Amino acid sequence: MPFDFPAPVVRHQAINRDHFLLTLESPRVARAARPGQFVMLRTRPGHDPLLRRPMSIYRVPPSGRGQVQILYKVVGSGTRYLSGQAAGARLDMLGPLGNGFRPPRPGRRPVLVAGGIGIAIFPFLVDRLLRRGSRPILLYGARCRGDLVALSYFQARRVPVRLVTEDGSAGARGLVTRLLEPILGGEGGEERCELFVCGPSPMLRAVGALAVEAGVPCQLALESQMPCGIGVCLGCVVPCPADADGPLYRRVCTEGPIFEAGTVEP
Amino acid sequence: MPFDFPAPVVRHQAINRDHFLLTLESPRVARAARPGQFVMLRTRPGHDPLLRRPMSIYRVPPSGRGQVQILYKVVGSGTRYLSGQAAGARLDMLGPLGNGFRPPRPGRRPVLVAGGIGIAIFPFLVDRLLRRGSRPILLYGARCRGDLVALSYFQARRVPVRLVTEDGSAGARGLVTRLLEPILGGEGGEERCELFVCGPSPMLRAVGALAVEAGVPCQLALESQMPCGIGVCLGCVVPCPADADGPLYRRVCTEGPIFEAGTVEP
Amino acid sequence: MKTPRRGAQGAPRGAGAVDLSVTLGPLRLKNPVVAASGTFGYGTEFLPYLRLSDLGGFVTKGLSLKPRRGNAPPRTCETPAGMLNAIGLANVGVEAFLDEKLPALRRHDTVVIANVFGETQDEYVAVARRLNGAPGLHAIELNLSCPNTDKGGIAFGVSPPVVRQVVAAVRRAAPGLPLIVKLTPNITDIAVAARAAREGGADILSLVNTFLGMAVDLKARRPVLDNLAGGLSGPAIKPLALYMVQRVYREVDLPIMGMGGISTAQDALEFMVAGSAAVQVGTVNFFDPKASVRIVREIAAWCRKEGVRAVREIIGALRLPPGAPPAPRAV
Amino acid sequence: MKTPRRGAQGAPRGAGAVDLSVTLGPLRLKNPVVAASGTFGYGTEFLPYLRLSDLGGFVTKGLSLKPRRGNAPPRTCETPAGMLNAIGLANVGVEAFLDEKLPALRRHDTVVIANVFGETQDEYVAVARRLNGAPGLHAIELNLSCPNTDKGGIAFGVSPPVVRQVVAAVRRAAPGLPLIVKLTPNITDIAVAARAAREGGADILSLVNTFLGMAVDLKARRPVLDNLAGGLSGPAIKPLALYMVQRVYREVDLPIMGMGGISTAQDALEFMVAGSAAVQVGTVNFFDPKASVRIVREIAAWCRKEGVRAVREIIGALRLPPGAPPAPRAV
Ligand SMILES: Cc1cc2nc3c(=O)[nH]c(=O)nc-3n(C[C@H](O)[C@H](O)[C@H](O)COP(=O)(O)OP(=O)(O)OC[C@H]3O[C@@H](n4cnc5c(N)ncnc54)[C@H](O)[C@@H]3O)c2cc1C
Ligand SMILES: Cc1cc2nc3c(=O)[nH]c(=O)nc-3n(C[C@H](O)[C@H](O)[C@H](O)COP(=O)(O)OP(=O)(O)OC[C@H]3O[C@@H](n4cnc5c(N)ncnc54)[C@H](O)[C@@H]3O)c2cc1C
Ligand SMILES: Cc1cc2nc3c(=O)[nH]c(=O)nc-3n(C[C@H](O)[C@H](O)[C@H](O)COP(=O)(O)O)c2cc1C
Ligand SMILES: Cc1cc2nc3c(=O)[nH]c(=O)nc-3n(C[C@H](O)[C@H](O)[C@H](O)COP(=O)(O)O)c2cc1C
Ligand code: FES
Ligand code: FES
């Protein structure tokens, strides 16, 4: 059950020029949240911008102090205004929303695949996976070294991380699919893993297709323009494979944002 | 000649719950400004609010550091957002604008008449008057004690201050005209003074009428909705006594904001 | 300077003393705030955030004879103080509404209004006939912004004869239900369409629907919306909607539900002063899901503060300048 | 993900390499940014902030045969991302413009466009005739949003026959000047008015003028504007204006100056992609007096970054969805 209340900013750290880690206080959201869910956040008061912005829950710090963290990248005006919110400000926050990840199938090792700011969805998932004794690994692609964030979170927990950047400034050069192919192609055997994927749509399409082809279960975390986040505007839909009645659409906000690869066309 | 540049916030002091003193850095505006002039200030970035807000120049501190001060009251969303601007923020500022006060006629003692936040226009004028050897006095009316601000400025300079509040919580109870009548009515004689008036329109009307009747020169500082501040939108006009061609209008931003009593109908 | 607070200075008034109810022809609402079609789902989606019984009423997503899946994405786009949508009238269809949605609403004490559209007059009539007499349904609202496939896709609402006809046909098909006719603002003079709706037999007018607009993706050199154009809603359109409400109020003798960009009680009250007997709130539900009940609460507080005993007293209270012409002078 | 910057990666291009000039029928502009009527005074008011010669051109405040003092205040009101104005077409009159304003403009190398209106067709004709041949004047723009006193105060621009007639009459009265016809958006289908203007002999269309709107002073229960209604401008209307520009571009074969809510180069370029050969910038001049030249500069920078050698290449470059209907489908 989602809640909607103003949440005080507890801390707001700049990670680099355009990435920020925001800690909000919201015991209700903290208690109810599951990995893969998100919140709708007002970035500042007033009508510019008009709509709230969807943000994955980065972590619910296990301190038990009812905090919720968001890791975000400044890409436009909403996120730029958000980055100006100092500790003490109160931001309207609606959540937790969406379905969240389902736990990995028994016996499968979670392989997390992140593209760019898609990394923000994974620490909360890793917290839970580690508690359940799973041993996830992370494949992480970004445009350049400066876009690789949150690495210390994974290193501190000894989650194996393989990196790739488009310009080769860190890890291998190329796209994240390059890291995935050996894993799907045998390195350990395909029965052994399950993919959790978050990143831009072209990446979701490519990784989803590889997973379907390899017969590996694969959960995709989709993005979409989300005016409401609660299933009523019908604005955030993603096409699904057409049936006899023609194209079918699903709401990313309530039927997702997590979908099984092959069931949607991001 | 006005300038338009982003001005860094040097200091931003809360005087009480809804009054603030803002210090901006703008050597060009500081150098060019005259008492009674104003600036157009963007209260925050973006389109809400869309228009800049007109604000009198409270003072150009004589430190010579190129600072400009604004004293304002929070009355709506623009001033509320403005009050959230911390030191270091840069606010687009256009100015100095408007005609400013003309110096008092020779031999006349300046009587400043302030209503509410209209007080904000006078310290800059007093700085100049004192430099010229004038001995101004201040009549200051407000709704209640909490709305009386900047008193220490006048006290420090031994400017005589007479107060009146609508609820009687400080000074006499009533309207500022109550303080004015004895002065116009003889206390020293009407040839001896000249009025400088800033406050809400009903006060300008009342004080202007008294001055005209008493034959005392009187400069009124008008307020108006000001989209542009530079004379091009024709939105800020004030009616003037009609002539043969019907009602005549003057632009408060460029032909004012200071008008001789009797020449406009605020 | 503030005018003295009459409610506060005079004899103390209890919180319950303000009468918020309004009556629009055959329809009585406990308060004047109604959630608008397409922004409130089928009602139950908002149960985590508010009690439906605190609302004057709500309007369902537009219903067609068969279920519709709507347009391809992208379907929405934010604009300055507004948003464009081209959902394409996706909905579960009238049968699923009657079977699955309406029964769940009966236990909530609020007015339920079904929004109806069709691509032909026959479809409007068929949907309305199906809804007539449905238990728990209090009114229907005809969405006349739908393209008329018999007339080359021009919206029903821009042709007065078509408006008159479709309203009259629906009137006959659903004689048991108050009939609200929702006007499109994409017309030279909305009073003309309003008059046609009245002649067709409308009980109530609702206005306005969204304004046609578009957004361009500069990088891709394509329209942002897959549908090319969409409907603009939200605070940006408030001055336009307010003008139209005021105009229809002066020109046509039917009660009005005004809407367009309302996000606060102040906005709602402005619409009422301009002639709305009730208001609908749309886009605000997206960015503030509790807004509708917040507005009800704030309207009551405003009435207490201003000493207004019954909110209906302010409907149409706008004092026009002496000799105000029916159309404004040069702007 | 960004597409590679063609300008940056390929052979270096000099800053001067981008061609910003555009040609609209008989009118050539050094760049596509023109300051809009009523928002730029008579030009010289902006000399403290910019060089007029950096602009493609500017349009004067609307000129009538006699000076006009305009409406009583309040004349303006801020709205969400926009503003209402009811200035009432205050202006110095055509004689004072020719005697006092125009001479001061001749030393500035920019295109000067006189905006013309009248309360009758005869007045339009008389003003245009007076302007014809004036040295230093490059074009006239007819404001058709003015109320037609011969037709009960309905705006000239909403009646196609009236549009055709007044345009043709002005065309004859000022044969020496390029004729821009400025359309009102307060009409069911703006393409109909655009076609009438073309038939009357317009060289160029400009759109849009302001949208009719109003604001209510809740406390006083009065309209905020003394005139009751006003014209809405500013970012709020951008999606509406963009849609109309796109529609007229597809429907009528005349060059377009698009406007409505432009405040950045990105906005301006979106209008160009939708079919504007040049753009006008209005309300932004009020809240950012250097905006017009900033937009020119940013357009040049964008062209360099995107590898666009001549900005005219992007005019109408919008790629429409396959089989896009002339009117949009259901929104
Ligand atoms: C379920 C969900 C979870 C998300 N989680 C995060 C997160 O944890 N951290 C994070 O940094 N971002 C996240 N995003 C993306 C984030 O919502 C957008 O970056 C943000 O809305 C952009 O707002 P803006 O005003 O800064 O940019 P705008 O000015 O609105 O847009 C700037 C650019 O971003 C694109 N954009 C805008 N909104 C979205 C969107 N919803 N999805 C994709 N592209 C968009 C625009 O098309 C444009 O190119 C998430 C999105 C969704 C749907
Ligand atoms: C030349 C000039 C100098 C000014 N100097 C000062 C100053 O030094 N200090 C100060 O605090 N204020 C000053 N003002 C008034 C100030 O501009 C307004 O208070 C401000 O614009 C309100 O903005 P807002 O967004 O907070 O309120 P809004 O939400 O815009 O309005 C809130 C209320 O204030 C009224 N209001 C809005 N703008 C004005 C205006 N321009 N004049 C009168 N009433 C208005 C509205 O009608 C409304 O009732 C001055 C105004 C002018 C014209
Ligand atoms: C996403 C969305 C979907 C809508 N769907 C419908 C609809 O199905 N039927 C209808 O009559 N109006 C529909 N509308 C219009 C609204 O009911 C309302 O008339 C309009 O949005 C203006 O009000 P607002 O500014 O408060 O949103 C829709 C609006 C939006 C934003
Ligand atoms: C205060 C004001 C005065 C205007 N005066 C005129 C005018 O005299 N003639 C005219 O054709 N348009 C006039 N306009 C309309 C503008 O030229 C322009 O069409 C409109 O404002 C939309 O553009 P914008 O959103 O960029 O402002 C005026 C607009 C404003 C805001
Ligand atoms: S964001 Fe509104 S339905 Fe998904
Ligand atoms: S504020 Fe625009 S003319 Fe005065």
Side-chain angles (χ1 to χ4, degrees):
Chain A
M1 153 119 166
F3 304 95
D4 183 27
F5 290 100
V9 174
V10 178
R11 251 190 327 281
H12 205 162
Q13 297 160 254
I15 290 175
N16 57 33
R17 225 171 47 111
D18 50 4
H19 289 80
F20 294 83
L21 180 63
L22 174 64
T23 305
L24 296 154
E25 187 185 312
S26 180
R28 274 173 288 219
V29 175
R31 218 167 10 244
R34 293 190 313 274
Q37 289 188 301
F38 67 98
V39 297
M40 296 290 291
L41 205 58
R42 188 186 294 284
T43 59
R44 69 172 188 177
H47 289 328
D48 179 14
L50 186 67
L51 302 172
R52 301 193 193 188
R53 297 296 190 248
M55 290 288 162
S56 300
I57 298 173
Y58 171 73
R59 281 190 79 197
V60 172
S63 66
R65 263 174 288 164
Q67 297 179 347
V68 173
Q69 290 185 312
I70 307 290
L71 176 70
Y72 68 94
K73 179 176 180 179
V74 171
V75 299
S77 62
T79 44
R80 191 166 60 247
Y81 297 137
L82 182 59
S83 70
Q85 297 289 356
R90 296 161 73 87
L91 304 178
D92 288 331
M93 179 163 78
L94 166 62
L97 299 168
N99 55 359
F101 289 112
R102 74 169 162 63
R105 303 238 168 107
R108 289 198 175 255
R109 180 172 196 184
V111 176
L112 318 183
V113 187
I117 189 62
I119 193 71
I121 206 171
F122 288 126
F124 193 14
L125 176 65
V126 168
D127 282 346
R128 290 290 161 96
L129 291 174
L130 293 177
R131 243 163 56 189
R132 290 189 187 134
S134 249
R135 290 171 307 107
I137 71 169
L138 172 67
L139 315 184
Y140 185 7
R143 224 157 32 91
C144 60
R145 171 187 287 276
D147 274 5
L148 291 167
V149 291
L151 286 175
S152 59
Y153 168 86
F154 298 96
Q155 283 154 0
R157 284 158 189 81
R158 297 173 198 275
V159 174
V161 176
R162 303 190 194 165
L163 299 178
V164 71
T165 52
E166 283 173 48
D167 65 358
S169 54
R173 181 196 290 270
L175 299 172
V176 76
T177 39
R178 186 181 154 170
L179 300 174
L180 191 63
E181 277 151 3
I183 291 188
L184 293 177
E187 193 199 278
E190 62 269 20
E191 311 91 322
R192 298 248 330 274
C193 74
E194 167 156 5
L195 304 188
F196 294 76
V197 193
C198 188
S201 296
M203 182 191 119
L204 297 181
R205 280 197 294 272
V207 173
L210 289 173
V212 168
E213 199 189 320
V216 168
C218 173
Q219 302 180 46
L220 304 175
L222 267 61
E223 282 205 358
S224 175
Q225 296 292 337
M226 285 194 181
C228 78
I230 57 174
V232 295
C233 75
L234 312 182
C236 63
V237 297
V238 58
C240 302
D243 63 16
D245 291 342
L248 179 75
Y249 303 109
R250 290 225 182 107
R251 288 166 299 181
V252 174
C253 64
T254 41
E255 300 168 64
I258 316 297
F259 294 92
E260 303 289 335
T263 68
V264 290
E265 295 171 349
Chain B
M1 153 118 167
F3 304 94
D4 183 27
F5 290 100
V9 174
V10 179
R11 250 189 328 282
H12 203 161
Q13 298 161 252
I15 290 176
N16 57 32
R17 224 171 48 109
D18 50 4
H19 289 79
F20 294 82
L21 180 63
L22 174 65
T23 305
L24 296 154
E25 186 185 314
S26 178
R28 275 174 287 219
V29 175
R31 216 165 15 242
R34 292 190 314 274
Q37 288 189 301
F38 67 98
V39 297
M40 296 290 291
L41 204 59
R42 189 186 294 284
T43 59
R44 67 171 188 178
H47 290 328
D48 177 14
L50 186 67
L51 302 172
R52 301 192 193 189
R53 297 296 189 251
M55 290 287 160
S56 300
I57 297 173
Y58 172 74
R59 282 189 79 197
V60 173
S63 66
R65 262 173 287 163
Q67 297 180 347
V68 173
Q69 290 185 311
I70 308 289
L71 176 69
Y72 68 94
K73 179 178 181 180
V74 171
V75 299
S77 62
T79 45
R80 193 166 57 248
Y81 297 136
L82 182 59
S83 70
Q85 297 288 357
R90 296 162 73 86
L91 304 178
D92 289 330
M93 180 163 79
L94 165 63
L97 299 169
N99 54 0
F101 291 111
R102 71 167 164 64
R105 304 238 167 105
R108 289 196 174 255
R109 179 173 196 184
V111 176
L112 319 183
V113 186
I117 188 64
I119 193 71
I121 206 170
F122 288 125
F124 192 14
L125 177 65
V126 168
D127 283 345
R128 291 288 161 96
L129 289 174
L130 294 178
R131 243 163 55 189
R132 288 187 191 135
S134 247
R135 289 171 308 105
I137 71 167
L138 173 68
L139 316 184
Y140 184 8
R143 225 157 31 90
C144 60
R145 172 187 287 277
D147 275 4
L148 292 167
V149 292
L151 287 174
S152 59
Y153 169 86
F154 298 95
Q155 284 154 359
R157 284 158 190 80
R158 295 172 200 277
V159 174
V161 176
R162 302 190 194 164
L163 299 178
V164 71
T165 53
E166 284 173 49
D167 65 357
S169 54
R173 180 194 292 269
L175 298 173
V176 78
T177 41
R178 188 182 153 170
L179 300 175
L180 192 61
E181 276 151 3
I183 292 188
L184 293 178
E187 193 196 279
E190 62 268 21
E191 312 91 323
R192 300 248 329 276
C193 75
E194 168 156 6
L195 305 188
F196 294 76
V197 193
C198 187
S201 297
M203 181 191 119
L204 298 182
R205 279 196 295 271
V207 173
L210 289 174
V212 169
E213 200 188 320
V216 167
C218 173
Q219 302 181 45
L220 304 175
L222 267 60
E223 282 206 358
S224 176
Q225 297 291 338
M226 286 194 180
C228 77
I230 56 174
V232 296
C233 75
L234 312 182
C236 63
V237 297
V238 58
C240 301
D243 63 15
D245 290 342
L248 179 75
Y249 303 109
R250 290 224 182 108
R251 287 167 299 180
V252 175
C253 65
T254 42
E255 298 167 67
I258 316 297
F259 294 92
E260 303 289 336
T263 67
V264 290
E265 296 171 347
Chain C
M1 285 187 212
K2 291 210 176 139
T3 50
R5 302 182 178 189
R6 271 196 274 162
Q9 288 189 349
R13 286 173 210 275
V18 178
D19 180 358
L20 291 184
S21 71
V22 292
T23 303
L24 293 84
L27 196 64
R28 191 174 178 281
L29 303 175
K30 66 171 77 163
N31 69 58
V33 180
V34 174
S37 179
T39 68
F40 214 69
Y42 302 97
T44 49
E45 292 90 333
F46 280 80
L47 290 176
Y49 314 107
L50 46 81
R51 278 197 306 249
L52 292 178
S53 59
D54 285 344
L55 284 179
F58 81 89
V59 189
T60 67
K61 178 68 189 153
L63 299 170
S64 49
L65 199 53
K66 303 265 168 262
R68 282 172 64 120
R69 292 173 173 183
N71 293 332
R75 290 178 171 184
T76 65
C77 171
E78 198 181 41
T79 69
M83 64 174 277
L84 289 168
N85 88 81
I87 305 301
L89 296 166
N91 77 98
V92 298
V94 67
E95 295 304 333
F97 171 71
L98 289 171
D99 291 352
E100 296 157 27
K101 305 293 182 183
L102 189 55
L105 292 168
R106 279 184 210 126
R107 80 179 71 107
H108 300 281
D109 174 28
T110 197
V111 162
V112 178
I113 301 169
N115 183 276
V116 168
F117 72 94
E119 294 190 338
T120 61
Q121 178 171 315
D122 290 347
E123 188 179 351
Y124 276 97
V125 168
V127 179
R129 182 169 296 134
R130 198 63 196 82
L131 292 169
N132 192 37
L137 187 66
H138 300 86
I140 55 182
E141 178 181 68
L142 286 198
N143 171 5
L144 295 184
S145 296
C146 188
N148 184 343
T149 50
D150 289 347
K151 296 274 162 80
I154 305 293
F156 284 87
V158 301
S159 162
V162 171
V163 169
R164 205 175 298 114
Q165 241 181 46
V166 67
V167 172
V170 167
R171 172 80 292 176
R172 285 189 299 272
L177 283 171
L179 179 55
I180 307 168
V181 175
K182 184 166 179 180
L183 303 174
T184 168
N186 299 300
I187 186 168
T188 306
D189 182 1
I190 196 165
V192 174
R195 228 172 274 125
R198 183 174 191 277
E199 288 160 11
D203 295 312
I204 300 167
L205 299 172
S206 65
L207 54 145
V208 297
N209 215 311
T210 55
F211 289 77
L212 270 176
M214 81 178 284
V216 170
D217 178 339
L218 179 59
K219 184 153 260 167
R221 302 191 191 168
R222 272 204 305 258
V224 171
L225 301 177
D226 186 81
N227 190 50
L228 170 60
L232 185 67
S233 64
I237 67 168
K238 187 187 131 191
L240 310 180
L242 208 44
Y243 173 73
M244 292 185 179
V245 164
Q246 170 273 151
R247 176 147 173 79
V248 170
Y249 180 74
R250 289 169 71 193
E251 295 280 319
V252 183
D253 185 25
L254 273 187
I256 296 173
M257 285 196 188
M259 80 195 90
I262 294 174
S263 71
T264 64
Q266 157 122 7
D267 295 335
L269 291 160
E270 289 171 13
F271 271 80
M272 293 186 74
V273 165
S276 286
V279 297
Q280 292 190 21
V281 295
T283 303
V284 70
N285 297 308
F286 299 160
F287 60 84
D288 185 0
K290 294 174 180 169
S292 50
V293 295
R294 170 175 53 76
I295 291 173
V296 174
R297 212 168 44 238
E298 289 174 1
I299 288 177
W302 180 87
C303 287
R304 277 194 294 279
K305 181 172 143 255
E306 296 289 318
V308 172
R309 281 167 192 272
V311 73
R312 79 182 78 92
E313 289 166 18
I314 69 158
I315 297 167
L318 192 71
R319 288 182 293 180
L320 293 177
R329 292 175 293 260
V331 300
Chain D
M1 286 185 210
K2 291 211 176 139
T3 49
R5 301 182 180 189
R6 272 197 272 161
Q9 289 191 348
R13 289 172 207 277
V18 177
D19 179 358
L20 290 184
S21 71
V22 292
T23 305
L24 292 85
L27 196 64
R28 192 174 177 281
L29 304 175
K30 66 171 74 158
N31 68 59
V33 180
V34 174
S37 177
T39 67
F40 212 69
Y42 302 98
T44 49
E45 292 91 332
F46 280 81
L47 290 177
Y49 313 108
L50 46 79
R51 279 196 305 248
L52 291 177
S53 60
D54 284 345
L55 285 178
F58 82 89
V59 188
T60 67
K61 179 68 192 156
L63 299 170
S64 48
L65 199 51
K66 303 267 168 258
R68 282 173 63 120
R69 292 174 172 183
N71 293 330
R75 291 178 170 185
T76 64
C77 170
E78 197 182 41
T79 70
M83 65 175 277
L84 288 167
N85 88 80
I87 305 302
L89 297 166
N91 77 98
V92 297
V94 66
E95 295 304 332
F97 171 72
L98 289 171
D99 290 353
E100 297 157 27
K101 306 293 182 183
L102 190 56
L105 293 168
R106 280 186 209 123
R107 81 178 71 109
H108 301 280
D109 174 29
T110 197
V111 162
V112 178
I113 303 169
N115 184 275
V116 168
F117 72 93
E119 294 191 338
T120 60
Q121 177 170 316
D122 290 348
E123 189 179 351
Y124 276 96
V125 167
V127 179
R129 182 170 296 131
R130 198 63 196 82
L131 292 169
N132 193 37
L137 186 67
H138 299 87
I140 56 181
E141 179 181 67
L142 285 199
N143 170 7
L144 294 184
S145 295
C146 188
N148 184 343
T149 50
D150 289 346
K151 294 277 162 80
I154 304 293
F156 285 87
V158 301
S159 161
V162 172
V163 170
R164 206 176 296 114
Q165 242 180 49
V166 66
V167 172
V170 168
R171 171 81 294 174
R172 283 189 300 270
L177 283 171
L179 178 56
I180 306 170
V181 174
K182 184 165 178 181
L183 303 175
T184 168
N186 299 300
I187 186 169
T188 306
D189 182 2
I190 196 166
V192 173
R195 228 172 273 125
R198 182 172 193 278
E199 288 159 10
D203 294 312
I204 299 167
L205 299 172
S206 65
L207 55 146
V208 297
N209 214 311
T210 55
F211 290 77
L212 268 176
M214 83 177 284
V216 169
D217 179 337
L218 179 60
K219 183 153 262 168
R221 301 191 192 169
R222 271 205 305 259
V224 172
L225 301 178
D226 186 81
N227 189 51
L228 171 61
L232 184 67
S233 64
I237 68 169
K238 187 187 131 191
L240 310 180
L242 207 44
Y243 172 73
M244 292 183 180
V245 164
Q246 171 272 151
R247 177 149 173 78
V248 170
Y249 180 73
R250 290 168 72 191
E251 295 282 317
V252 182
D253 186 25
L254 274 186
I256 296 173
M257 286 195 186
M259 80 196 88
I262 294 174
S263 72
T264 64
Q266 156 121 8
D267 294 335
L269 291 160
E270 289 171 12
F271 272 81
M272 295 186 74
V273 164
S276 287
V279 296
Q280 292 189 22
V281 295
T283 303
V284 70
N285 297 309
F286 298 162
F287 60 85
D288 186 1
K290 295 174 181 170
S292 51
V293 294
R294 171 176 52 78
I295 291 172
V296 174
R297 211 168 47 237
E298 289 173 1
I299 289 176
W302 181 86
C303 288
R304 277 195 293 278
K305 181 172 144 254
E306 297 288 319
V308 172
R309 280 166 192 271
V311 72
R312 78 181 78 92
E313 290 167 18
I314 69 156
I315 298 166
L318 191 72
R319 288 183 292 179
L320 292 177
R329 290 175 295 257
V331 299

